[in-house]
Amino acid sequence: MKVAIIGLGFRLGYLGVVFKDIDPDFEIVGYVDPAPAGMARLTEAGISAGKAYDTPEELIASEKFDLLMIGSPNHLHLEHIRIGLEAGLKVFTEKPIVISIEESHALASLLNTHGHDRLLVGLVLRYSPLYRDLREAQARGLLGDVVSIEASEHIAPYHGAFFMRDWRRYASYTGGFMLEKCCHDLDLYNGVVGQRPRFVASFGGRKSFVPENAPEQAGVNDLEVYHRKPSGWLGADKVFDSDGDIIDYQTAIVEYEGGASMTFHTNLNVPDEFRRFCVIGAKGMAEGDFVRGYLDVHDAHTREKRIGNRYQAPSTKSQHYGADEQMAADVLAHMQTGAALPVSALDAIEAGILALAMDEARQSRKVVDLAPVWAHFDACLHGGAAAPHAKSA
């Protein structure tokens, strides 16, 4: 498979290696990126990134390829997706798919014009063995109707510090931390519930990565941990006095259209990190953790453990608990045979809208009712509304 890349950052540099490991014929024919942070990983693996181009239009006009891969900063996704779709290409974009409600509606209109199946999205956790086993248990009826979910995504201090130093510290480029980092998780639980979120409340802010908590204040001189993960575009050294506007902790409450509810918590300064969930249904309960690698399912009536799975990443270099390898294999199969994928662009937009609603609720200190958003989204998706003018959040 031949691909072209817009935005050769750390993520697509890594995925280039994963795709090449699975498909020896995988080839990058060219890229657009003024400062390709992912180039070093490709070079180390002996993989060519092809020819550098100044603009997406020049790349598309000059090369022949099967898939356009987008890894540019989030605020550029909509424009790059539009360019690819209007050129008649199959497009893969990294998450989050777009960064505002207005852009979500604009993308819905684009999909109405060009077709949903032309756009793939890198919501990689849908491909993880743990999540697939969770959905299989649900399909077997072990959970029954989903009643409530408790879920979290917590990251270690070195990773939180990365967000404070990278371009991702600015909500104008990312759409906010909840969208940038947690859209994976929100998509998973939207999928489990099988309904759209309706009402959202949320609280949070920044209390860990603030000047009074700087290690120097406690006489700690070893700051390596906070710079362990390299930053890319607009990178900075400041961590506890970052000029970013993102949160470092947030809690949200969600009610879905059918009445099921979810609490979701994220924190960027967790020394023993975890990414866990508890899905409680009328007939059973599923509890798991992507980081700690387990899935337990219990019967509500007998309390019997029906499933007790343990998971391990395929290698120490593997990211996302082995899900990247499965995603690469599935995307290759999709391109070659049309095989179905477990996540769609529509799933990605819906997860993004939920994340954005969480931030709206946090900032306004009000419960957000998403009914008007979904009504306009559906009108755009089915051609019943004029294409909105997208603007960044």
Side-chain angles (χ1 to χ4, degrees), residues 62-389:
S62 303
E63 300 287 352
K64 294 184 181 298
F65 51 90
D66 305 300
L67 183 67
L68 178 66
M69 300 186 75
I70 296 172
S72 51
N74 306 349
H75 69 293
L76 300 175
H77 284 185
L78 180 63
E79 178 64 9
H80 292 157
I81 291 168
R82 181 191 63 76
I83 290 170
L85 293 179
E86 290 181 351
L89 300 171
K90 195 93 166 184
V91 179
F92 172 97
T93 183
E94 259 305 316
K95 60 80 194 168
I97 197 162
V98 290
I99 69 163
S100 68
I101 299 297
E102 293 86 357
E103 287 194 357
S104 299
H105 291 153
L107 182 55
S109 293
L110 277 174
L111 295 179
N112 170 259
T113 300
H114 299 285
H116 304 177
D117 60 342
R118 294 259 307 282
L119 181 59
L120 317 181
V121 64
L123 281 170
V124 68
L125 289 190
R126 284 264 190 156
Y127 296 85
S128 65
L130 192 162
Y131 186 69
R132 290 189 169 194
D133 288 349
L134 170 63
R135 295 308 306 275
E136 181 183 356
Q138 187 178 15
R140 287 168 53 195
L142 299 184
L143 303 181
D145 292 336
V146 174
V147 177
S148 61
I149 299 174
E150 177 183 317
S152 62
E153 181 185 8
H154 295 158
I155 62 176
Y158 83 90
H159 203 170
F162 161 78
F163 277 94
M164 294 299 155
R165 294 184 294 103
D166 194 59
W167 62 265
R168 293 166 176 84
R169 67 189 184 274
Y170 300 122
S172 59
Y173 295 137
T174 63
F177 179 84
M178 190 65 79
L179 177 67
E180 159 63 20
K181 189 71 176 74
C182 302
C183 63
H184 280 306
D185 305 77
L186 301 180
D187 168 61
L188 298 184
Y189 307 122
N190 283 354
V192 167
V193 176
Q195 298 167 344
R196 285 172 170 173
R198 173 67 191 275
F199 297 105
V200 183
S202 185
F203 303 92
R206 196 150 102 205
K207 294 179 72 68
S208 292
F209 291 104
V210 293
E212 54 265 37
N213 292 330
E216 298 95 325
Q217 300 290 351
V220 176
N221 296 319
D222 182 10
L223 302 181
E224 185 274 335
V225 64
Y226 300 112
H227 298 83
R228 183 181 304 164
K229 187 175 174 65
S231 58
W233 177 57
L234 294 181
D237 291 330
K238 294 183 177 180
V239 176
F240 292 87
D241 52 351
S242 168
D243 63 349
D245 56 7
I246 60 171
I247 55 90
D248 63 21
Y249 74 99
Q250 189 167 343
T251 304
I253 306 171
V254 181
E255 182 176 84
Y256 286 85
E257 289 175 338
S261 67
M262 175 174 71
T263 60
F264 185 82
H265 177 216
T266 188
N267 192 296
L268 284 65
N269 191 43
V270 179
D272 188 10
E273 62 184 350
F274 54 94
R275 194 174 198 170
R276 66 189 179 201
F277 60 84
C278 183
V279 178
I280 303 171
K283 296 181 179 179
M285 177 182 95
E287 184 178 8
D289 190 319
F290 291 93
V291 173
R292 299 175 182 180
Y294 72 87
L295 173 66
D296 293 334
V297 177
H298 286 82
D299 182 270
H301 179 64
T302 65
R303 301 179 67 186
E304 174 191 359
K305 181 183 283 190
R306 304 292 301 277
I307 294 175
N309 293 349
R310 299 298 179 263
Y311 303 88
Q312 186 173 354
S315 77
T316 57
K317 295 182 179 180
S318 179
Q319 298 179 8
H320 297 111
Y321 332 112
D324 286 304
E325 292 83 352
Q326 187 61 57
M327 182 180 75
D330 284 8
V331 168
L332 287 165
H334 175 78
M335 295 299 298
Q336 294 164 358
T337 68
L341 297 173
V343 65
S344 70
L346 298 185
D347 296 325
I349 298 172
E350 292 185 359
I353 287 174
L354 175 55
L356 291 163
M358 288 177 175
D359 275 340
E360 180 185 347
R362 175 179 61 83
Q363 293 162 0
S364 67
R365 293 185 174 272
K366 295 180 180 178
V367 175
V368 173
D369 181 356
L370 283 171
V373 175
W374 297 130
H376 191 67
F377 175 75
D378 288 335
C380 294
L381 192 61
H382 300 295
H389 173 67

